[in-house]
Amino acid sequence: MNTGSLPLDLADRMIENVVGSFPVPLGVAVNFLINDRDFLIPMAIEEPSVVAAASYAAKMAREGGGFRTNSTASVMIGQIQTVGMSDPYAAKVRVMQAKTEILKKANDQDPLLVSLGGGAEDLETKVIHTSEGPMLITHLLVDCKDVMGANAVNTMAEAVAPIIERLTGGRVYLRIISNLATKRLARAWCLVPRDAVGGEEVVDGIVKASAFAAEDPYRAATHNKGILNGIIGVVVATCNDHRAIEAGAHAFAARNGRYTTLSTWERSDKGDLVGSIELPMAVGTIGGAVRTHPIAKISLKILRVETARELGEVLAAVGLAQNLGALRALAHEGIQRGHMSLHARNIAVAAGAKGQLIDQVAEEMVQEKKIRMDRAKELIQKHRLAGKSETRGNE
Ligand code: MEV
């Protein structure tokens, strides 16, 4: 069986009940200048226009010096849920008092991570009041360095649970990483010269689009989806856990009690466009499938990033670029013009066009502004008949 680039025996070791592999287009976005270094950005995504829009936006940002980024350390949170204590607040203090013992037990689970300068580094505790009574929630803060960290954190959380039960007199249930990775944030910003983005009116439109999304969760969800279009493309191309990134991004966007945007677009004092973004970024450059999947290895080579923090910062810049590409199109000509020609090609393929006929039919549908399956089928039929009568005429 042809499984593409992922050998079946490898796939079989990655998940259960494997019957094949599932290819998605891999594109490379260009023009990215991040912290004065040029980057090529591999993206695995099925949606037309995303790679083109990211490249176009990166070109605009490049005219203002590209993207600047920074990040926190790679600290993930492991949660330990304890229930059934008569004195949850005193139990909380007892757990904090045993911090050294708990951190040591956690770090004993992963000497390699500790030798690389990572490991469990702090504890936080809180009492929450639930429909099932008070619970003590302990947060184990683990610097995961270059791994995403779910395995390391979950192992540590499970290992320290008996100590917490002993200290609290309660019963531990859940011991699991949190995807709301508020201590592992990546940030990016850029200044796009007014003329590069299309003039004052376009700047105005983008700033107003950003303000709209900041206040309205219906728009914020779509605004953030546009950001994730770019980020998830790279996350998938590097075989990182995109569900973790999505969950973290949306939870972070709602962290103040109301869902809002992950990015903001403002006007500089000179009337240029300034964009910024901050979001959790639980990605790794080692561990998991990142270093086993052949395409993920190639993607990392294309990116030329060594550390998880570097990768996270590139992802933040890609998200901001993707957002800029979408907002510029929305505030200017609308997204459908660019989107539709690729969409038309997909429709043409789905209707049965092959080879040159794909572009021909797609172009005609775009010209007619009738990008529909029934029209694609009619056009294919028309061209096939024309082709046949031409052949007959030549006989
Ligand atoms: C489509 O995949 C993404 C957009 O809807 C994002 C946005 O509206 O900002 C274009």
Side-chain angles (χ1 to χ4, degrees), residues 88-207:
Y89 287 94
K92 173 176 168 358
V93 176
R94 291 196 294 276
V95 168
M96 287 311 286
Q97 234 160 359
K99 180 164 128 178
T100 311
E101 180 192 355
I102 294 170
L103 294 185
K104 181 177 179 317
K105 182 73 180 176
N107 283 328
D108 285 348
Q109 312 308 308
D110 202 331
L112 179 62
L113 183 59
V114 174
S115 75
L116 294 169
E121 57 180 33
D122 209 352
L123 274 192
E124 286 173 355
T125 46
K126 62 184 176 189
V127 175
I128 59 170
H129 294 275
T130 78
S131 56
E132 290 292 318
M135 296 178 186
L136 173 65
I137 308 301
T138 305
H139 283 183
L140 187 62
L141 275 41
V142 183
D143 187 342
C144 296
K145 292 289 172 189
D146 294 325
V147 293
M148 183 272 184
N151 278 330
V153 171
N154 294 342
T155 305
M156 289 181 181
E158 289 188 8
V160 302
I163 304 180
I164 292 179
E165 283 191 332
R166 192 193 78 221
L167 293 165
T168 59
R171 158 129 198 234
V172 167
Y173 276 90
L174 271 57
R175 299 144 295 168
I176 186 75
I177 197 165
S178 169
N179 289 123
L180 178 51
T182 50
K183 295 185 188 292
R184 192 177 197 174
L185 301 175
R187 311 176 185 105
W189 73 276
C190 65
L191 182 145
V192 192
R194 182 181 46 203
D195 293 339
V197 84
E200 195 178 327
E201 223 176 289
V202 183
V203 170
D204 215 44
I206 293 173
V207 172

Side-chain angles (χ1 to χ4, degrees), residues 311-331:
L311 175 59
E313 292 182 24
V314 168
L315 286 164
V318 171
L320 192 59
Q322 203 69 59
N323 186 216
L324 170 61
L327 295 189
R328 186 190 178 277
L330 288 168

Side-chain angles (χ1 to χ4, degrees), residues 47 50 219 222-227 229 323 326-327 330 335 339:
E47 184 173 329
V50 170
R219 174 57 208 154
T222 322
H223 177 106
N224 291 342
K225 190 271 184 182
I227 291 171
N229 271 347
N323 186 216
L327 295 189
L330 288 168
I335 60 158
H339 213 70

Side-chain angles (χ1 to χ4, degrees), residues 1 3 12 14 40 57 111 164 185 205 223 244 248 260-261 277 299 333-334:
M1 192 200 304
T3 58
D12 206 29
M14 286 171 79
L40 291 171
I164 292 179
L185 301 175
H223 177 106
T260 185
T261 53
I277 188 169
S299 294
E333 62 202 15

